[in-house]
């Protein structure tokens, strides 16, 4: 039955009521709306009028839930009857850095149970920071006969046994994307669970896992899945094995190599190079674990059409990177380790004029005495050569206000500016002043800024700037910064589009927390840890704003009046019932 | 604490450090009067002396099985004074506790065997950190045909950058090594950590790392240091020193492959590595009743294995 027919028979027995309402027939409206993909557009549409609300909810096939506790699965199922694809995010982002207790929640199972009843034809599930057990994975595998795509990013609670269940039962699987999870790796036999008749896989990413897999099974799998376009191997796959896989899969668009380091004979090297050169569709390269500089030239044939190169697991030197980049003129996204140093970044600026995104990760984040890594000079060099740069994540040990001012002058289109000066509270190393002017320059110049992470020694002035200028800012991360409540008050008062605010170790207290009273309902969430917020402040917030969930995570032995970690988020599902004892809901 | 300078130099520090030193000395009068701030946790079993963390300053000791039968002599600490913290009063405590960025002496560099003392900083996902440790690789690149580009073997620069966290533990001798991360939980702290067992060569090293991880993170860190924050930190310090009362000492236990909880230190280190699944820093009050039984059960199991 057509969705529109079903709806009409349910909602309006008199089918010709269109003259009473709008002149737009329902089917046309629904048809048009079904073409809308962006969930924000859809939200806007649903607010127009009741008809549009209904048309939208009947035509929506994908739902994005940014905070799993903001809504319940029952409410979702009631509103959207036709969902085929779900994206769910769970824990606060700081759980990635061990700031959230392990049993905090965000378990997927309750959702799966509802989905099994209401969306038996569910095809896709994408989870981020959720807890998912092997039992849940098995349940998923057997409950949805049409299931096609599973993506798990930064999740935990499961093992390779769960993957085995997916491989065994999901006959129509096209995507299995296991990324950066806390997975209990019990061995690689799960891969052999894909039946010999299974040929539909298009995306396979198991780079997360460390154990050896049955290579023969993998080779056969890749050989028979002719539509495979994304293959990300784990470290246990050798160069020689990689070559064998590539020979059977020249159509690959994205490749994550395995270990790039064993010794090859000359013949093996030539074969590898040849296999790679046949991959004319390849635009993304990833992995390159332990990459040895000598083998990198094998990649040159692929480099010419690469747009995304992820070298963040390969500790390359500056000269090695420079040689490689000379062959990558079309690069748009580059991730590297800071072993490439400023000189390597100069090479980026020289060779990659189309670069839009750069991420530089620290190879040795905890060694304070290290004199290597990247400095402000590298970032500046990139900015001169790459005017289209709009996304940066930069870990460094020193920075200056002047450098940042130059950078944003060269690249005014930043949408994501994430600067991490790794020493908390470090000032401009030349002038010894706070880094206020640096971030002031960023927000004044980059009017399209959506996401900002600040670091270094910062006073309230930084936040005055942010509140005054960052009018498009949606996500702000703050650590070890600010001087008083005023800083946070500026942000809450000025950043009208703010959706996510995460703060740690700042001198913001109750006045700051409560200054956002009106704002939190229009935000997804607020995180404040190791600040000056007290339980009373949180209670007041919870009392004044009943539609917010105010959760406090207590640490044992701490002062009863201090609210060590506060997580505030809007919810139409009310307070959650699965919080562990260390989490108090006010 | 990261080289807290002279305890008496700054007004706000002196009270706390004096208190702590008093408590310390009441437990063990033979303990050298450390000028740095110290929080020592330990059961006093006659003549028992405290371990000193080489960096000096605040530390706490986690007991292992070794502590029960015999005492461990304290190694005097080269009191490395962090230069930055002795000057200003209000933020010295906070800055002193912040590892990155504070100037350190050569002593402390050499002694570096702990990860970041600030939880979750720098903000790098655990997954990436695990991968970096596994980057430790064999630097020899021979065995390559001469027609290939002649490439010098990589320098120590790369080695340092390559080995990541493992450079601490395999200083100068980067070899391919798998990491063995196990979860560690401490009673009373809801957030667990992970520690790489293969990065330690002995129980002492492991205990030190765990002390650094768990017993230093009770301090709030804020180099911007407002007055209120300083007070808050002082409160936390006083709170922590209550742990010295003896009612909340800690022991290190582990869960083995068979699911039993054992006292750490019973078996040779290598054997321990093979059987440890996870660790728990347990309150002694819970463990003292357990210890004999744990030993017993261990003996029983070992006996039954031989049958």
């Amino acid at each position: 039955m057509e969705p529109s027919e079903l709806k009409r028979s349910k909602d309006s027995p008199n089918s010709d009521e269109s003259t009473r309402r709008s002149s737009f027939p329902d089917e046309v409206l629904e048809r048009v709306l079904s073409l809308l993909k962006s969930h924000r557009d859809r939200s806007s549409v649903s607010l127009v009028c009741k008809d549009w609300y209904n048309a939208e909810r009947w035509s929506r096939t994908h739902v994005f839930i940014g905070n799993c506790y903001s809504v319940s699965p029952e409410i979702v199922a009631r509103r959207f009857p036709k969902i085929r694809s779900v994206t769910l995010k769970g824990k606060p982002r700081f759980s990635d850095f061990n700031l959230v207790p392990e049993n905090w929640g965000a378990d997927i199972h309750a959702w799966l149970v509802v989905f099994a009843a209401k969306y038996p034809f569910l095809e896709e599930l994408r989870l981020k920071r959720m807890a998912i057990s092997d039992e849940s994975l098995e349940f998923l595998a057997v409950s949805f006969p049409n299931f096609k795509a599973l993506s798990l990013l930064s999740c935990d609670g499961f093992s390779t046994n769960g993957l085995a269940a997916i491989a065994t039962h999901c006959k129509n699987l096209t995507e299995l994307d296991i990324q950066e999870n806390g997975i209990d790796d019990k061995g690689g036999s799960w891969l052999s669970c894909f039946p010999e008749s299974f040929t539909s896989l298009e995306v396979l990413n198991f780079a997360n896992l460390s154990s050896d897999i049955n290579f023969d099974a993998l080779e056969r799998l890749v050989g028979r899945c002719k539509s495979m376009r994304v293959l990300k191997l784990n470290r246990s796959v050798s160069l020689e094995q990689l070559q064998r896989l590539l020979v059977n899969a020249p159509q690959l668009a994205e490749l994550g190599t395995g270990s790039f380091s064993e010794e090859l004979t000359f013949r093996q090297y030539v074969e590898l190079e040849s296999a790679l050169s046949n991959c004319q569709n390849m635009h993304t390269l990833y992995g390159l674990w332990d990459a040895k500089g000598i083998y990198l030239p094998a990649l040159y044939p692929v480099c010419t059409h690469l747009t995304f190169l992820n070298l963040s697991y390969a500790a390359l030197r500056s000269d090695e990177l420079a040689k490689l980049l000379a062959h990558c003129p079309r690069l748009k996204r580059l991730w590297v380790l800071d072993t490439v140093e400023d000189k390597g970044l100069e090479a980026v600026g020289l060779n990659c004029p189309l670069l839009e995104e750069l991420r530089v990760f620290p190879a040795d984040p905890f060694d304070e005495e290290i004199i290597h890594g990247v400095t402000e000079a590298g970032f500046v060099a990139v900015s001169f050569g790459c005017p289209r740069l709009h996304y940066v994540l930069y870990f460094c040990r020193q920075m200056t206000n002047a450098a940042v001012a130059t950078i944003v002058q060269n690249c005014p289109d930043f949408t994501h500016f994430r600067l991490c000066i790794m020493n908390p509270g470090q000032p401009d190393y030349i002038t010894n002043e706070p880094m206020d002017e640096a971030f002031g320059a960023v927000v004044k110049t980059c009017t399209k800024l959506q996401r900002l992470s600040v670091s270094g020694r910062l006073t309230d002035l930084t936040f005055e700037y942010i509140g005054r200028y960052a009018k498009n800012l949606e996500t702000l991360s703050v650590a070890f910064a600010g001087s008083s409540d005023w800083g946070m008050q500026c942000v809450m008062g000025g950043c009208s589009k703010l959706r996510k605010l995460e703060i740690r170790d700042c001198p913001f207290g109750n006045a700051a927390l409560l200054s956002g009273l009106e704002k939190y309902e229009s935000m997804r969430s607020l995180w404040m840890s190791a600040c000056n917020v007290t339980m009373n402040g949180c209670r007041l917030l919870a009392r004044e704003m009943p539609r917010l969930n105010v959760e406090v995570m207590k640490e044992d032995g701490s002062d009863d009046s201090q609210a060590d970690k506060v997580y505030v988020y809007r919810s139409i599902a009310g307070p959650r019932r699965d919080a562990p004892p260390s989490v108090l809901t006010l | 604490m990261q080289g807290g300078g002279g305890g008496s130099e700054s007004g706000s520090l002196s009270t706390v450090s004096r208190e702590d030193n008093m408590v310390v000395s009441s437990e063990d009068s033979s303990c050298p009067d450390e000028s740095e701030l110290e929080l020592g946790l330990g059961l006093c079993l006659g003549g028992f002396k405290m371990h000193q963390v080489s960096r000096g300053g605040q530390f706490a000791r986690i007991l292992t099985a070794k502590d029960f039968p015999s005492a461990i002599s304290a190694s005097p600490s080269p009191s490395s004074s962090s230069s930055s913290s002795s000057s200003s009063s209000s933020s010295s405590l906070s800055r002193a506790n912040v590892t990155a960025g504070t100037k350190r002496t050569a002593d402390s560099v050499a002694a570096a065997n702990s990860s970041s003392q600030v939880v979750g900083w720098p903000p790098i996902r655990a997954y990436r950190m695990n991968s970096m440790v596994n980057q430790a690789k064999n630097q020899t690149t021979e065995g390559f045909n001469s027609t290939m580009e002649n490439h010098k073997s990589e320098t120590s620069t790369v080695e340092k950058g390559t080995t990541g966290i493992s450079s601490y533990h395999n200083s100068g001798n980067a070899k391919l090594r798998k990491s063995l991360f196990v979860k560690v939980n401490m009673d009373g702290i809801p957030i667990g950590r992970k520690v790489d067992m293969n990065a330690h060569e002995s129980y002492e090293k492991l205990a030190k790392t765990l002390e650094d991880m768990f017993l230093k993170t009770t301090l709030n860190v804020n180099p911007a240091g407002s007055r209120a924050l300083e007070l808050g930190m002082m409160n936390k310090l006083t709170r922590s020193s209550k742990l010295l009362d003896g009612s909340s000492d800690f022991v290190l236990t582990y869960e083995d492959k068979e699911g039993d909880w054992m006292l750490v230190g019973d078996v040779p280190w290598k054997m321990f590595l093979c059987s440890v699944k996870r660790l728990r820093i347990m309150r002694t009050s819970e463990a003292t009743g357990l210890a004999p039984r744990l030993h017993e059960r261990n003996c029983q199991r070992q006996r039954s294995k031989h049958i």
Side-chain angles (χ1 to χ4, degrees):
Chain A
M1 216 201 278
E2 280 297 312
S4 49
E5 279 175 53
L6 182 64
K7 184 212 137 200
R8 259 203 297 279
S9 66
K10 279 180 71 163
D11 295 355
S12 43
N14 312 329
S15 54
D16 257 344
E17 285 202 327
S18 42
T19 47
R20 193 160 62 80
R21 294 176 300 228
S22 70
S23 51
F24 231 53
D26 289 331
E27 308 110 319
V28 179
L29 185 58
E30 273 175 37
R31 185 65 137 140
V32 168
L33 293 184
S34 68
L35 300 172
L36 274 183
K37 299 297 173 205
S38 148
H39 63 274
R40 284 199 213 174
D41 287 344
R42 284 185 160 271
S43 296
S44 310
V45 158
S46 65
L47 294 172
V48 170
C49 65
K50 194 148 193 287
D51 287 345
W52 282 49
Y53 175 87
N54 278 324
E56 194 279 312
R57 62 183 270 261
W58 278 93
S59 65
R60 197 188 287 218
T61 56
H62 169 246
V63 67
F64 169 84
I65 298 161
N67 174 3
C68 64
Y69 287 118
S70 63
V71 73
S72 76
E74 291 84 5
I75 294 175
V76 173
R78 238 194 336 265
R79 177 170 170 188
F80 300 115
K82 294 264 147 195
I83 296 297
R84 304 256 156 149
S85 163
V86 176
T87 301
L88 259 174
K89 295 189 183 179
K91 301 182 196 175
R93 193 176 78 97
F94 278 176
S95 76
D96 284 348
F97 317 126
N98 285 337
L99 288 176
V100 172
E102 264 208 32
N103 54 348
W104 183 84
D107 195 304
I108 188 64
H109 201 79
W111 290 84
L112 290 177
V113 169
V114 172
F115 290 163
K118 304 289 182 185
Y119 303 139
F121 301 114
L122 188 71
E123 294 175 2
E124 298 182 1
L125 189 64
R126 294 173 202 286
L127 304 179
K128 187 169 183 180
R129 292 193 202 100
M130 300 284 297
I132 179 162
S133 66
D134 285 343
E135 289 71 36
S136 296
L137 283 171
E138 267 190 60
F139 181 77
L140 169 67
V142 301
S143 307
F144 304 99
N146 266 11
F147 197 72
K148 294 204 167 91
L150 179 65
S151 166
L152 300 175
L153 172 57
S154 230
C155 298
D156 61 9
F158 63 105
S159 78
T160 41
N161 291 345
L163 299 184
I166 299 285
T168 308
H169 299 289
C170 297
K171 307 272 181 272
N172 296 313
L173 200 68
T174 59
E175 179 175 337
L176 183 60
D177 186 1
I178 308 299
Q179 237 189 91
E180 298 189 19
N181 300 291
I183 183 173
D184 185 5
D185 194 338
K186 294 187 171 162
S189 56
W190 62 274
L191 202 96
S192 318
C193 293
F194 285 109
E196 289 298 319
S197 55
F198 174 76
T199 58
S200 50
L201 206 58
E202 295 171 24
V203 174
L204 177 62
N205 176 3
F206 62 97
N208 200 169
L209 303 169
S210 48
S211 56
D212 292 344
I213 39 112
N214 180 340
F215 181 72
D216 286 331
L218 176 64
E219 198 177 7
R220 283 198 306 275
L221 178 67
V222 172
R224 61 181 187 266
C225 294
K226 291 300 175 196
S227 309
M228 192 172 282
R229 44 185 179 80
V230 176
L231 178 63
K232 291 181 178 169
L233 307 168
N234 76 353
R235 251 182 148 130
S236 71
V237 177
S238 69
L239 275 177
E240 207 241 315
Q241 290 171 329
L242 171 66
Q243 185 265 337
R244 280 161 61 183
L245 290 173
L246 288 177
V247 160
N248 281 328
Q251 78 282 1
L252 284 178
E254 297 183 27
L255 174 68
T257 72
S259 171
F260 216 75
S261 70
E262 96 238 24
E263 287 157 19
L264 293 178
T265 64
F266 180 57
R267 193 178 64 87
Q268 284 171 320
Y269 174 86
V270 165
E271 282 176 354
L272 175 64
E273 193 184 19
S274 155
L276 281 166
S277 63
N278 280 337
C279 299
Q280 288 301 312
N281 291 336
M282 202 169 283
H283 56 71
T284 294
L285 201 52
Y286 175 95
L288 298 167
W289 311 91
D290 321 314
K292 289 199 164 97
I294 25 170
Y295 297 136
L296 293 180
L299 300 172
Y300 292 170
V302 169
C303 288
T304 41
H305 34 85
L306 272 190
T307 55
F308 179 18
L309 180 56
N310 183 343
L311 296 169
S312 62
Y313 298 103
L316 298 185
R317 293 195 317 259
S318 51
D319 55 308
E320 291 167 333
L321 179 67
K323 269 191 240 152
L324 187 59
L325 289 182
H327 294 84
C328 307
R330 296 218 178 90
L331 217 52
K332 287 192 183 161
R333 300 171 66 194
L334 176 65
W335 296 20
V336 290
L337 281 178
D338 65 357
T339 52
V340 303
E341 297 182 1
D342 290 335
K343 242 178 153 311
L345 294 182
E346 279 172 35
V348 174
L350 286 172
N351 290 296
C352 307
L354 302 179
L355 199 70
E356 297 177 18
E357 173 179 331
L358 175 68
R359 300 196 196 198
V360 182
F361 295 94
D364 244 326
F366 303 121
D367 188 347
E368 299 87 20
E369 286 301 318
I370 201 165
I371 52 172
H372 308 293
V374 295
T375 72
E376 77 280 8
F379 198 168
V380 169
V382 174
S383 73
F384 273 113
C386 310
R388 298 193 196 186
L389 199 60
H390 69 84
Y391 191 123
V392 141
L393 168 61
Y394 201 80
F395 284 87
C396 59
R397 287 185 173 85
Q398 64 189 48
M399 189 50 63
T400 67
N401 289 309
V404 176
T406 307
I407 288 161
V408 293
Q409 207 174 356
N410 294 337
C411 305
D413 296 330
F414 272 112
T415 55
H416 297 68
F417 193 91
R418 303 164 64 187
L419 176 61
C420 181
I421 304 167
M422 288 192 277
N423 313 327
Q426 181 172 295
D428 179 320
Y429 81 100
I430 290 183
T431 66
N432 224 36
E433 285 174 0
M435 296 296 296
D436 296 334
E437 294 307 318
F439 293 103
V442 172
V443 294
K444 282 178 207 165
T445 317
C446 306
T447 51
K448 300 182 207 162
L449 197 68
Q450 291 169 27
R451 180 172 181 183
L452 180 64
S453 299
V454 299
S455 59
R457 162 105 47 91
L458 300 174
T459 71
D460 284 343
L461 183 56
T462 299
F463 302 102
E464 278 184 38
Y465 285 142
I466 293 175
R468 203 181 319 156
Y469 295 104
K471 293 306 178 186
N472 283 321
L473 193 65
E474 298 180 15
T475 305
L476 178 63
S477 303
V478 185
F480 307 106
S483 336
S484 73
D485 286 337
W486 172 240
M488 185 170 162
Q489 286 168 333
C490 288
V491 171
M492 298 314 299
C495 299
S496 43
K497 291 200 185 165
L498 196 63
R499 291 187 307 118
K500 284 178 285 185
L501 180 56
E502 43 186 32
I503 302 173
R504 62 165 293 178
D505 294 276
C506 295
F508 302 141
N510 292 339
L513 175 71
L514 296 168
S515 69
L517 213 61
E518 308 293 316
K519 190 119 186 64
Y520 298 131
E521 270 183 15
S522 62
M523 286 171 57
R524 184 186 297 174
S525 65
L526 165 74
W527 168 282
M528 284 180 80
S529 61
C531 296
N532 287 345
V533 175
T534 69
M535 292 298 289
N536 284 338
C538 296
R539 285 193 197 102
L540 187 60
L541 176 62
R543 210 171 33 240
E544 293 295 311
M545 307 296 294
R547 279 191 305 222
L548 295 179
N549 280 356
V550 179
E551 296 181 10
V552 176
M553 283 158 261
K554 297 285 291 168
E555 272 169 45
D556 215 34
S558 73
D559 200 326
D560 273 342
S561 64
Q562 285 299 112
D564 307 309
K565 296 185 170 130
V566 184
Y567 186 50
V568 179
Y569 56 93
R570 65 181 172 194
S571 176
I572 55 175
R576 60 186 177 113
R577 272 156 280 156
D578 61 353
S582 57
V583 177
L584 306 169
T585 307
L586 301 178
Chain B
M1 183 182 60
Q2 181 74 16
S8 51
E9 284 174 25
S10 55
S12 55
L13 271 181
S14 57
T15 322
V16 192
S17 53
R18 249 189 285 121
E19 268 181 32
D20 287 331
N21 280 339
M22 272 180 1
V23 186
V24 163
S25 49
S26 71
E27 287 202 318
D28 178 15
S29 53
S30 56
C31 197
D33 184 20
E34 286 294 307
S35 52
E36 286 97 350
L37 196 58
E38 277 175 14
L39 299 178
L41 305 186
L43 266 188
C44 276
L45 297 166
F48 164 83
K49 291 187 184 143
M50 311 247 200
H51 244 318
Q52 309 280 341
V53 173
S54 54
R55 238 184 250 130
Q58 183 222 334
F59 72 96
R61 240 196 107 243
I62 296 172
L63 305 180
T64 63
K66 285 211 180 95
D67 300 317
F68 288 97
S70 61
I72 295 176
S73 47
S75 40
S77 98
S79 74
S80 60
S81 48
S82 170
S83 42
S84 57
S85 50
S86 42
S87 43
S88 61
S89 53
S90 58
S91 50
S92 60
L93 201 60
S94 48
R95 251 191 291 142
N97 197 48
V98 171
T99 60
T102 57
K103 297 180 218 133
R104 287 167 50 175
T105 63
D107 277 346
S108 38
V109 173
N113 69 342
S114 67
S115 55
S116 168
Q117 295 182 346
V118 181
V119 179
W121 189 266
I124 299 165
R125 281 191 188 151
Y127 171 72
R128 181 169 286 282
M129 297 208 300
N130 287 2
S131 310
M132 287 323 300
V133 175
N134 283 332
Q135 284 280 327
K137 61 181 185 179
N138 199 332
Q139 292 298 319
T140 58
T141 58
E142 288 77 46
F144 203 71
N145 196 292
S146 57
T147 53
M148 278 305 300
E149 181 183 43
N150 192 17
H151 197 96
K152 278 186 274 189
S153 59
E154 290 156 43
T155 63
S156 59
T157 311
V158 181
E159 214 175 272
K160 198 171 200 326
T162 307
T163 53
I165 296 168
S166 67
S167 65
Y168 286 111
H169 312 292
N170 285 339
S171 42
N173 186 23
K175 46 185 203 284
L176 191 63
R177 169 179 67 75
K178 273 189 170 176
S179 66
L180 175 63
F181 275 91
V182 301
K183 293 185 187 173
V184 193
N185 282 87
M186 177 164 168
D187 283 356
I189 295 182
I191 296 180
R193 301 288 301 273
K194 280 196 173 160
V195 64
D196 181 4
M197 302 302 293
N198 280 342
H200 301 84
E201 296 113 46
S202 66
Y203 288 116
E204 281 75 27
K205 294 242 166 76
L206 175 67
K208 238 184 235 183
T209 300
L210 293 177
E211 285 156 31
D212 287 346
M213 260 187 198
F214 281 92
L215 298 162
K216 293 188 182 188
T217 56
T218 50
L219 282 192
N220 196 351
V221 180
N222 186 353
S226 71
R227 183 102 186 102
L229 201 63
E230 176 204 334
L231 287 175
M233 281 188 301
M234 276 179 58
N235 283 340
K236 280 188 172 163
L237 277 174
T238 331
R239 254 178 279 130
S240 305
S241 64
K242 281 185 192 150
L243 295 171
L244 293 169
D245 287 344
S247 59
S248 47
D249 302 314
F250 293 87
V251 288
L252 184 58
T253 63
Y254 73 102
E255 185 183 20
D256 68 2
K257 283 201 152 74
E258 274 143 58
D260 295 322
W261 283 93
M262 320 284 292
L263 211 56
V264 163
D266 281 347
V267 300
W269 175 253
K270 286 251 151 45
M271 197 184 296
F272 170 62
L273 285 185
C274 294
S275 54
V276 61
K277 290 254 89 158
R278 57 191 169 121
L279 296 167
R280 179 176 156 201
I281 302 171
M282 195 186 288
R283 294 208 171 89
T284 314
S285 45
E286 291 181 34
T288 40
L290 228 46
R293 267 185 274 138
L294 284 173
H295 277 286
E296 262 177 36
R297 209 189 314 158
N298 197 21
C299 296
Q300 275 174 12
R301 272 187 20 212
Q302 289 193 335
R303 257 183 267 127
S304 64
K305 276 183 188 152
H306 291 308
I307 292 170

